[in-house]
Amino acid sequence: MTDGMLSKTATMEIPINRNGDAGTLAEDDGLEQVAKLQWSLDEKVGSSGGTRDLQQVMVSGPNLNETSIVSGGYGGTNEGIIPTSSIKGSSMQHSSSGSSMTAEEASRGVAVEKLDFVKKWSLNTYKCTKQMISERFGRGSRTVDLELEAQIDVLRDTKKKYENVLRLARALNNHFYSMVQTQHALGDTFADLSQKSPELRDEFGYNAETQKLLCKNGETLLGAVNFFVSSINTLVNKTMEDTLMTIKMYEAARLEFDAYRTDLEELSVGPRDAVTMARIDAAQEQYQIHKDKYERLRSDVTIKLKFLDENKVKVMHKQLLLFHNAISAYFAGNQQQLEQTLKQFNIKLRPTGADKPSWLEEP
């Protein structure tokens, strides 16, 4: 009980007056008596008792997690006590509300950007559709580059003809592959019959050797035809197609350019008030943007057409020479010339059965 009184007395606050001096209270005499009593008890208890009291104070000390901010003097009411948990909760509420407001502003900004994009896209689509309909009905004017348009028409016609060549070459390759497989099976059958028919062993043997030789030459010719088909396919479906994609972009840019050019011309004919002048300035800006785009794509198409024509001549010169030499050597029965043709064009044949899985990979 005495220790509790002492600890309570030790934690009492000393009131300070307005001038900063210690005020005099009626409790000063009691404090002096209590201090004397504490001094006498300390002398009696000794060092062991002091250590035990210190440990009790440390154990029974306040919990930092439940620390309160005290407003007012000792022994006051609970109105001045503010729990720290309420401060933490309010700060967390402020941070969560701030983050939610930031997310809401970001989503609102994205929505505004999407709305502006849809608005511009709709306006551009309307203008281009209007221009396209006017051109089809002969009421609108269009920008025409006669030389470039003629080159584009030639390219499209050439692509159709090369596609026909590619289709026929693939058909020849498939039919010839079937014939080679038939010759291979026929040669195996003749070889088997030569072993089982002693009276016709020589005749079956000659035919078996002939079919095997034809099968070998056929596989060599198939290598040349496959190379020819692959090169034509690359030229038609990659090189020409890439140029045609650029041409489609150029034609779309030409339509947009004419649409904004027509819009500017219509605004220029109307009245010249303040609102119309602002619209004319905006239309002039859009017209210049689409004009630069159109001219840039027209230059790209011109360059690609030039390089495509040069590449086409080189590729077809090599492939037509290969096709002619290989077909001539095969049907002439000149195996040495056929093999020399493949070496000339750096064509390597796949070994027989290369596409088949090994016996380790078989299920």
Side-chain angles (χ1 to χ4, degrees), residues 74-112:
Y74 178 81
T77 61
N78 293 331
E79 295 179 356
I81 300 177
I82 304 174
T84 56
S85 59
S86 63
I87 298 177
K88 294 180 180 179
S90 62
S91 63
M92 292 177 66
Q93 290 178 0
H94 285 302
S95 62
S96 61
S97 61
S99 62
S100 62
M101 291 179 62
T102 304
E104 183 179 358
E105 291 177 356
S107 61
R108 186 180 303 172
V110 172
V112 170

Side-chain angles (χ1 to χ4, degrees), residues 147-198:
E147 183 179 358
L148 186 59
E149 294 291 336
Q151 294 178 2
I152 293 173
D153 292 339
V154 170
L155 173 60
R156 286 174 174 159
D157 184 64
T158 303
K159 186 173 183 291
K160 291 181 180 179
K161 293 179 179 178
Y162 276 53
E163 286 175 346
N164 189 36
V165 171
L166 179 61
R167 179 181 61 82
L168 294 174
R170 282 174 173 170
L172 175 64
N173 187 40
N174 293 333
H175 294 318
F176 199 77
Y177 176 78
S178 299
M179 188 185 74
V180 170
Q181 295 299 314
T182 304
Q183 288 175 343
H184 189 275
L186 189 58
D188 292 340
T189 304
F190 284 158
D192 184 62
L193 288 173
S194 67
Q195 298 295 329
K196 297 179 179 180
S197 302

Side-chain angles (χ1 to χ4, degrees), residues 60-290:
S60 61
N63 188 0
L64 296 179
N65 294 331
E66 298 177 355
T67 304
S68 302
I69 300 176
V70 181
S71 176
Y74 178 81
T77 61
N78 293 331
E79 295 179 356
I81 300 177
I82 304 174
T84 56
S85 59
S86 63
I87 298 177
K88 294 180 180 179
S90 62
S91 63
M92 292 177 66
Q93 290 178 0
H94 285 302
S95 62
S96 61
S97 61
S99 62
S100 62
M101 291 179 62
T102 304
E104 183 179 358
E105 291 177 356
S107 61
R108 186 180 303 172
V110 172
V112 170
E113 291 179 359
K114 290 183 177 180
L115 184 61
D116 292 340
F117 175 77
V118 172
K119 182 179 178 181
K120 292 178 180 179
W121 176 83
S122 302
L123 182 61
N124 184 71
T125 304
Y126 166 74
K127 291 180 181 294
C128 293
T129 305
K130 179 182 176 182
Q131 176 66 23
M132 183 173 59
I133 294 174
S134 299
E135 291 178 2
R136 288 189 177 181
F137 285 96
R139 291 180 296 181
S141 61
R142 63 187 299 266
T143 304
V144 179
D145 190 336
L146 296 177
E147 183 179 358
L148 186 59
E149 294 291 336
Q151 294 178 2
I152 293 173
D153 292 339
V154 170
L155 173 60
R156 286 174 174 159
D157 184 64
T158 303
K159 186 173 183 291
K160 291 181 180 179
K161 293 179 179 178
Y162 276 53
E163 286 175 346
N164 189 36
V165 171
L166 179 61
R167 179 181 61 82
L168 294 174
R170 282 174 173 170
L172 175 64
N173 187 40
N174 293 333
H175 294 318
F176 199 77
Y177 176 78
S178 299
M179 188 185 74
V180 170
Q181 295 299 314
T182 304
Q183 288 175 343
H184 189 275
L186 189 58
D188 292 340
T189 304
F190 284 158
D192 184 62
L193 288 173
S194 67
Q195 298 295 329
K196 297 179 179 180
S197 302
E199 66 278 5
L200 297 174
R201 177 178 301 174
D202 294 338
E203 288 79 1
F204 278 126
Y206 296 152
N207 283 277
E209 292 296 331
T210 301
Q211 294 300 321
K212 288 181 180 180
L213 180 61
L214 291 174
C215 181
K216 181 180 180 181
N217 293 341
E219 290 176 352
T220 306
L221 179 61
L222 278 175
V225 175
N226 282 329
F227 187 76
F228 176 81
V229 170
S230 176
S231 300
I232 300 299
N233 179 66
T234 302
L235 177 64
V236 173
N237 293 323
K238 291 186 178 180
T239 309
M240 290 185 178
E241 188 64 28
D242 178 71
T243 305
L244 287 175
M245 288 297 296
T246 307
I247 290 173
K248 290 179 181 178
M249 296 171 60
Y250 157 75
E251 291 175 346
R254 196 275 311 163
L255 184 63
E256 291 179 352
F257 166 66
D258 286 337
Y260 283 93
R261 176 182 56 81
T262 303
D263 187 27
L264 179 61
E265 291 175 355
E266 292 176 355
L267 289 174
S268 299
V269 175
R272 297 300 184 92
D273 54 357
V275 177
T276 306
M277 291 300 299
R279 294 179 60 186
I280 290 175
D281 292 339
Q284 181 69 35
E285 182 180 358
Q286 292 296 323
Y287 165 78
Q288 189 62 40
I289 292 174
H290 288 86

